[in-house]
Amino acid sequence: MPDRTLRLLNRLKLFTHKPDGWISRGPLCSEQGVKCEDRMQDDWIHDLRRAFAHADSVSIEALAAICSLISAPDGVPVVQQGERPDAVYIVVTGSLAAYHQAADGQETLLDRFGAGDIIGDIGFITGEARPATIRAVRNSELLRITREDLQAAVARCPGVLLAICSTAVQRLQGARPTVAAPFRFRTFCVIPSDDTIDSRPIIEKIARNLERFGTVTIVSADQGTERSSAWFSELERRFDFVLFQADRGPTAWTRFCLRQCDRIVLVAHGDAEPSDSDALGPSRTHVPRNTPLSLMLLWRDAIVPARTAAWMKYVNPSGHHHIRSSRDIERATRLIAGRGSGLVLSGGGARALAHVGVIDALRKHDVQIDAIGGTSIGGIVAAVFALEWDLAETIRSLAAAFSRRRFSDFTVPRTSLFSERAFIRTLGRCFGDIGIEDSPIPLFCVSTNLTEGISAIHRSGRLETWLRATSAVPGICPPIIEQNVVYVDGGVLNNMPTDAVRDFGVASVIAVDVGSSPEGQGRSGGESSVPNILDLLWRVGTIGSDTAANRVRRECDVMLRPEVGKVGLFGWDAYEKAIAAGYQAALEHLDEINAAVGRIA
């Protein structure tokens, strides 16, 4: 349907649904707040109470009396950037996104809105022009209250203004980067990539895992075909999560499911050829532009290196998950629903071996880690954990290699003091041709792009290459050059990358900081008050990230700082002390960690 027609129909409120698209059926509601055919005013009171949680009953009833219900199909703008505010909207069902358009026409995603969210309340208070365009990213329903009606209601019932102001203030407080959290998706379209996949068992397992967070229903083509928009809206009101079981291939039902969901989940065999999949239509023509897509790769045995990269290149998902067991599905479910828990590990030379103790303590006390990443040695520890290897044994072997070989490999100081030949051989033996995207647990590491002066987050590519880059301390280790770009240690700009882990769908972040060193800590021998040249180079190379350290640390839910003052930056022989310090730090904060992870439900 052309955009112009959609805008016209949206203005006239003439939408209902059939699986092959939107058709008119007469007015869904009036602009005067008359009751809808399928939605009574009592239902609006329920929706308003969800949005204005602290408002009194009189104010809620006053708002319900002036509401009207509008439908916004995928792609239809509700608010236009630059316009003067003319209404306040409360999202009943669906999902919308806010975009800011720059002078060159490029759009930047600013925020997402789901059921219970309010749009336009700040504009009502300030009267300023809209700073962004807000569009439906799937079929949505909203309660609309005109500015004139709202002003009249405030005059009759001052409590309405208090309700509006309190929610606006709460959102402004929540807009701070210290509480950044992923959008919590509620409706999912699960679609098989080919005829050999029966998606029903996968959907049922996802549903069972989602029941930890709320009520769940599954809708198949037999149940949903020819249903009205009111029927689907009622589903979203009754259930916290709705799983749409799509057909294989771009059928009318599949196209509707793609328009109706917050997130698409494509299920495929990891060892199959990506070209065999046309479930999303030619060139993904049926996929709404702004709907995130998660790729679930099913493996009969072990994950095959390079196959993941081929799938990701073909599908270009916003996230991917390796499925070999029920435990993998549990992890994937938490992440696609925006309720995962993540662990972030800082750099800090040999002191970063404390991360091994932290992870050991979390494992023994059943704290789930759904995604992990880090900087420098923290990135290496994260990689070993994400690959599900024997963490303590592998890290001890690497520490021994670092201690005996890495820093005896002196070279003529052209780009660094050490040639790193031994270190490169050690990493090559450990990680081979494994890609970051091949790790069973979602993984990232961070380096610094010196060419452009920015932090670089690596979620794909050859693992050995980016582990070398993330630990390449300037002046000590040679930089990595990829496609004429120079990369060095991630700690130069971001030694605590808590911001990067949230892109995996993480709601709760645990961070371990061994990089910030109080006075007297971090000497190579652990005793001398005078730093040697290695200490100086490390501090100079990573001091740039200290300016943002306090802000970044506030973005996590729990911050652990193991007592590693007696372990030098290059004191690899003291790995047992570092591991013990990390284990103790995790135990001391276990209640805080469990509370943070528990809040995601």
Side-chain angles (χ1 to χ4, degrees):
M1 187 180 293
D3 290 343
R4 183 178 178 183
T5 305
L6 283 174
R7 287 194 295 270
L8 175 60
L9 290 176
N10 184 53
R11 186 172 301 171
L12 296 175
K13 319 295 186 300
L14 299 179
F15 294 105
T16 188
H17 166 263
K18 283 191 176 182
D20 57 352
W22 288 86
I23 63 173
S24 66
R25 62 149 179 166
L28 183 64
C29 64
S30 76
E31 290 295 346
Q32 288 72 41
V34 178
K35 294 178 182 177
C36 293
E37 176 184 336
D38 299 300
R39 181 71 57 84
M40 302 298 291
Q41 199 174 71
D42 286 346
D43 295 330
W44 298 358
I45 289 176
H46 171 81
D47 297 325
L48 290 167
R49 280 181 176 150
R50 179 170 54 176
F52 301 101
H54 301 291
D56 59 74
S57 297
V58 174
S59 300
I60 293 294
E61 291 175 2
L63 288 170
I66 57 174
C67 283
S68 59
L69 185 71
I70 66 170
S71 293
D74 166 44
V76 170
V78 174
V79 168
Q80 292 282 7
Q81 181 176 326
E83 288 183 350
R84 307 296 295 182
D86 63 346
V88 173
Y89 300 89
I90 297 92
V91 183
V92 176
T93 62
S95 177
L96 299 94
Y99 300 88
H100 176 77
Q101 187 175 63
D104 60 1
Q106 293 294 318
E107 287 190 336
T108 302
L109 175 64
L110 301 179
D111 202 359
R112 284 182 176 269
F113 303 91
D117 288 337
I118 305 168
I119 299 170
D121 50 344
I122 296 175
F124 169 75
I125 296 169
T126 65
E128 296 178 353
R130 308 282 194 184
T133 294
I134 300 178
R135 291 195 297 268
V137 294
R138 69 174 178 90
N139 302 339
S140 305
E141 285 189 350
L142 306 93
L143 294 177
R144 182 175 185 267
I145 307 173
T146 66
R147 184 178 179 85
E148 292 76 14
D149 286 343
L150 194 53
Q151 288 173 331
V154 167
R156 295 191 303 269
C157 179
V160 170
L161 181 59
L162 179 60
I164 296 288
C165 290
S166 62
T167 55
V169 170
Q170 287 172 357
R171 188 161 66 259
L172 287 172
Q173 290 176 331
R176 295 176 300 177
T178 57
V179 291
F183 180 78
R184 292 195 168 181
F185 300 95
R186 297 183 61 236
T187 60
F188 306 88
C189 167
V190 182
I191 180 171
S193 66
D194 60 63
D195 293 330
T196 67
I197 296 174
D198 180 6
S199 62
R200 186 71 186 193
I202 299 290
I203 294 175
E204 290 175 349
K205 290 178 181 178
I206 293 174
R208 285 195 294 271
N209 292 323
L210 284 174
E211 286 175 351
R212 174 189 171 190
F213 309 110
T215 55
V216 188
T217 188
I218 300 172
V219 184
S220 64
D222 292 340
Q223 298 166 294
T225 302
E226 298 298 324
R227 296 285 189 175
S228 68
S229 61
W231 188 83
F232 289 99
S233 296
E234 185 60 25
L235 277 184
E236 292 190 42
R237 288 172 55 83
R238 289 174 51 205
F239 295 95
D240 297 303
F241 301 98
V242 180
L243 299 175
F244 291 100
Q245 181 181 349
D247 301 325
R248 190 268 177 182
T251 64
W253 170 248
T254 296
R255 291 197 298 271
F256 165 67
C257 294
L258 293 172
R259 292 196 303 269
Q260 192 72 8
C261 68
D262 292 329
R263 183 185 284 278
I264 300 164
V265 180
L266 177 65
V267 183
H269 287 300
D271 55 4
E273 287 296 327
S275 58
D276 291 343
S277 172
D278 62 353
L280 303 178
S283 302
R284 295 179 60 178
T285 52
H286 301 300
V287 178
R289 182 181 59 165
N290 301 306
T291 303
L293 185 150
S294 292
L295 175 64
M296 276 192 178
L297 292 177
L298 309 179
W299 299 96
R300 295 179 176 85
D301 296 304
I303 298 168
V304 180
R307 298 306 306 155
T308 307
W311 270 104
M312 291 182 68
K313 182 178 180 181
Y314 184 79
V315 177
N316 189 28
S318 56
H320 71 285
H321 310 276
H322 296 290
I323 307 299
R324 304 154 302 168
S325 65
S326 296
R327 186 173 181 179
D328 291 333
I329 294 182
E330 291 174 9
R331 180 192 307 116
T333 300
R334 290 191 292 268
L335 292 175
I336 65 175
R339 287 166 165 81
S341 55
L343 182 64
V344 181
L345 310 177
S346 78
R351 291 179 295 169
L353 299 179
H355 299 321
V356 178
V358 170
I359 292 173
D360 188 33
L362 296 180
R363 277 176 164 171
K364 288 181 178 178
H365 291 84
D366 296 321
V367 177
Q368 298 296 331
I369 301 172
D370 297 317
I372 192 169
T375 297
S376 195
I377 304 301
I380 295 176
V381 174
V384 175
F385 172 80
L387 291 170
E388 298 180 333
W389 292 350
D390 185 321
L391 183 62
E393 184 61 33
T394 304
I395 293 301
R396 285 191 181 98
S397 299
L398 288 172
F402 297 159
S403 177
R404 295 186 177 88
R405 303 178 68 179
R406 183 178 184 185
F407 296 111
S408 63
D409 199 9
F410 284 97
T411 186
V412 176
R414 181 181 176 188
T415 59
S416 63
L417 292 178
F418 304 97
S419 71
E420 293 263 281
R421 286 188 295 268
F423 180 53
I424 292 170
R425 287 195 297 270
T426 300
L427 287 183
R429 285 196 301 271
C430 283
F431 300 104
D433 294 325
I434 297 173
I436 297 177
E437 64 275 9
D438 295 322
S439 62
I441 298 173
L443 168 69
F444 74 92
C445 65
V446 175
S447 69
T448 299
N449 178 337
L450 278 188
T451 304
E452 300 179 26
I454 59 175
S455 183
I457 301 171
H458 307 289
R459 299 186 180 90
S460 62
R462 197 161 184 258
L463 183 56
E464 177 199 346
T465 298
W466 297 121
L467 291 183
R468 286 170 53 200
T470 191
S471 58
V473 181
I476 298 178
C477 310
I480 303 300
I481 301 176
E482 285 286 314
Q483 297 182 344
N484 296 320
V485 177
V486 179
Y487 296 93
V488 295
D489 193 298
V492 172
L493 292 180
N494 191 357
N495 200 41
M496 181 56 69
T498 54
D499 50 342
V501 75
R502 294 204 183 265
D503 291 337
F504 286 119
V506 163
S508 178
V509 177
I510 304 164
V512 187
D513 180 14
V514 296
S516 57
S517 175
E519 186 175 357
Q521 287 189 14
R523 312 309 181 200
S524 290
E527 300 293 337
S528 174
S529 60
V530 180
N532 62 31
I533 187 173
L534 297 181
D535 297 319
L536 288 172
L537 285 173
W538 188 87
R539 287 300 297 149
V540 169
T542 59
I543 199 168
S545 64
D546 289 348
T547 57
N550 290 333
R551 175 188 63 81
V552 170
R553 291 181 187 112
R554 288 197 303 269
E555 292 180 357
C556 67
D557 297 276
V558 180
M559 173 65 74
L560 305 182
R561 292 187 176 90
E563 296 290 336
V564 288
K566 294 184 179 181
V567 179
L569 289 170
F570 305 106
W572 302 105
D573 291 333
Y575 64 83
E576 290 184 353
K577 291 182 180 178
I579 292 174
Y583 191 92
Q584 184 62 32
L587 289 185
E588 290 174 356
H589 293 83
L590 194 58
D591 289 342
E592 187 181 355
I593 291 169
N594 284 326
V597 174
R599 283 196 298 269
I600 65 179

